[in-house]
Amino acid sequence: QVQLQESGPGLVKPSQTLSLTCTVSGGSISSGDYYWSWIRQPPGKGLEWIGYIYYSGSTYYNPSLKSRVTISVDTSKNQFSLKLSSVTAADTAVYYCAGVNPYSNQFDYWGQGTLVTVSS
Amino acid sequence: EIVLTQSPGTLSLSPGERATLSCRASQSVSSSYLAWYQQKPGQAPRLLIYGASSRATGIPDRFSGSGSGTDFTLTISRLEPEDFAVYYCQQYGSSPQYTFGQGTKLEIK
């Protein structure tokens, strides 16, 4: 059973870069079985896909966030990471990492989520 | 971008009743790429249905999905107390792009 765990600062100042890491256990990122994705959910609101990375390093981003997002992978640590630059209060959200089935494109596995607040 | 609109926004029902949740897409969606999730307060979403009608591992058979094209439905045949939650539909489109509906809150009447 694949498990995911997000980690990173819970508070980021406006205009700075949000950085989160997702550690995968119970499976290898290098297996190629999943796309590794980030999704966010502002408090009391719905879900927004941020982007994903494949073990090979190929990335795809939500066009609405593309200019500010970088997702990277470290196969040696079985981790993948999110960087979101120039954050504002609108980026305050629970950030989830997830494993995406590459054949039917649903989010099979989710981390528990981590709340990131953007505030000075 | 394909927009998913869920209805109703809130559904008030009693345990034992049947729940019907709707997800309408702004353009045709491949049935292979339509999924449903359940989210309880303070928890991550949980996959219920993928490919419009296939139940995920461990999901009780009171949950079923149907539909095609632009209209999809999640049905819960007999509500259990643990089924009261928020439900989201999700689609995958080329680019690639993943979008979610705004959610339906299923609350106890």
Side-chain angles (χ1 to χ4, degrees):
Chain A
Q1 175 82 348
V2 174
Q3 294 184 306
L4 300 96
Q5 178 68 58
E6 305 88 351
S7 59
L11 182 63
V12 180
K13 289 182 167 51
S15 80
Q16 294 191 341
T17 296
L18 178 160
S19 296
L20 295 173
T21 295
C22 182
T23 301
V24 179
S25 58
S28 172
I29 280 183
S30 300
S31 70
D33 291 341
Y34 296 97
Y35 301 143
W36 303 103
S37 187
W38 289 95
I39 298 151
R40 69 180 183 178
Q41 185 174 36
K45 296 188 178 180
L47 299 158
E48 180 180 35
W49 174 68
I50 298 171
Y52 77 66
I53 190 164
Y54 197 42
Y55 78 98
S56 61
S58 299
T59 54
Y60 291 94
Y61 302 134
N62 187 325
S64 68
L65 297 168
K66 186 176 182 179
S67 63
R68 298 194 291 132
V69 173
T70 303
I71 299 176
S72 59
V73 66
D74 186 337
T75 54
S76 67
K77 295 183 179 179
N78 224 32
Q79 295 176 334
F80 62 105
S81 298
L82 169 69
K83 291 188 184 301
L84 181 65
S85 63
S86 305
V87 297
T88 69
D91 295 309
T92 293
V94 175
Y95 286 76
Y96 296 100
C97 58
V100 186
N101 185 298
Y103 302 106
S104 42
N105 286 285
Q106 75 274 354
F107 298 89
D108 281 352
Y109 299 105
W110 296 70
Q112 66 184 28
T114 186
L115 175 62
V116 179
T117 302
V118 179
S119 175
S120 56
Chain B
E1 175 185 321
I2 295 178
V3 176
L4 299 178
T5 301
Q6 293 185 241
S7 61
T10 302
L11 185 57
S12 300
L13 293 170
S14 300
E17 290 193 294
R18 181 184 185 91
T20 302
L21 287 67
S22 174
C23 176
R24 180 161 291 177
S26 60
Q27 303 172 43
S28 184
V29 171
S30 168
S31 296
S32 299
Y33 300 144
L34 194 288
W36 290 91
Y37 302 83
Q38 176 194 69
Q39 187 178 34
K40 296 180 180 179
Q43 296 184 17
R46 177 176 71 144
L47 177 67
L48 298 175
I49 300 288
Y50 65 95
S53 61
S54 296
R55 273 187 301 277
T57 302
I59 301 303
D61 60 7
R62 64 180 181 273
F63 291 90
S64 63
S66 63
S68 64
T70 59
D71 290 297
F72 297 88
T73 300
L74 174 69
T75 302
I76 311 171
S77 58
R78 291 178 311 280
L79 286 166
E80 297 286 344
E82 62 267 27
D83 297 337
F84 293 91
V86 179
Y87 291 84
Y88 293 95
C89 57
Q90 171 253 317
Q91 70 86 33
Y92 164 80
S94 60
S95 299
Q97 177 71 285
Y98 300 82
T99 56
F100 294 87
Q102 83 281 14
T104 289
K105 182 179 181 179
L106 179 55
E107 64 176 23
I108 298 177
K109 187 175 182 179

